[in-house]
Amino acid sequence: RRVDYQVDWSGEAGEVTLTLTYTHGATAGVAHCDGVPRYGDSYADLIDRCYFDYIRVYAPPGSRLRDIRGVRPDSGVSMAAEGGLQQFAGYMILPPNQSKTVTFVYTLPPEITAGSYRLRIQRQSGAPPLPVTVTMHGTTTAAMIAQNVWDWAPGK
């Protein structure tokens, strides 16, 4: 997994482009991905299959989804989530030995400005360290998130 996060402040409100890149390292050849549960004789049998994922992104309340690319077309949603956040989500299928890019484009609410902007990324528990790049005002910050939460602010 890899996260690339860009904020553009050239419009009336900040526009976020969040690009998530997934790579399935298993090498088995799969002719067709289907959701039928199967078990094998070993753990390798389980991971040498297609990777199915329902991806969720949490944004500040009032954020508006503009586009989702890389998920099944009938699965993209925007809805209220716990803690008053906005949730954008979609369903992805990734065959073994392939990579896939999923992109969420959304507009931040007008009360969030470039000067007040803060970002929090939570790495999924149990997942390996997560490489992240954040680009804002032409400055890119790269980090490897090894703990569960990474907080970022401009100039930090």
Side-chain angles (χ1 to χ4, degrees):
R1 294 181 184 169
R2 161 168 206 79
V3 175
D4 293 298
Y5 189 92
Q6 298 180 355
V7 185
D8 178 8
W9 295 100
S10 62
E12 292 180 24
E15 181 176 279
V16 174
T17 301
L18 171 61
T19 304
L20 306 168
T21 304
Y22 294 82
T23 300
H24 192 332
T27 57
V30 175
H32 175 71
C33 292
D34 64 48
V36 176
R38 290 191 243 339
Y39 301 95
D41 295 330
S42 68
Y43 182 71
D45 291 338
L46 294 173
I47 62 171
D48 280 345
R49 297 199 183 129
C50 297
Y51 175 62
F52 298 87
D53 195 11
Y54 188 70
I55 301 166
R56 294 173 197 86
V57 173
Y58 295 93
S63 296
R64 302 194 74 177
L65 183 64
R66 298 195 51 217
D67 190 23
I68 303 177
R69 295 182 296 275
V71 298
R72 291 180 55 121
D74 60 342
S75 72
V77 298
S78 174
M79 62 184 148
E82 61 268 7
L85 298 173
Q86 189 66 30
Q87 176 182 295
F88 310 129
Y91 185 65
M92 174 196 73
I93 302 171
L94 178 60
N97 203 30
Q98 292 189 24
S99 291
K100 183 175 210 87
T101 299
V102 177
T103 303
F104 293 85
V105 179
Y106 59 94
T107 303
L108 295 167
E111 61 270 12
I112 296 178
T113 65
S116 68
Y117 189 73
R118 303 290 179 265
L119 173 66
R120 171 170 275 194
I121 296 177
Q122 287 187 250
R123 182 181 61 88
Q124 181 177 350
S125 294
L130 179 65
V132 173
T133 58
V134 176
T135 304
M136 187 168 140
H137 301 306
T139 301
T140 299
T141 302
M144 183 68 71
I145 303 175
Q147 302 301 316
N148 289 337
V149 175
W150 183 65
D151 290 312
W152 178 87
K156 181 179 170 188

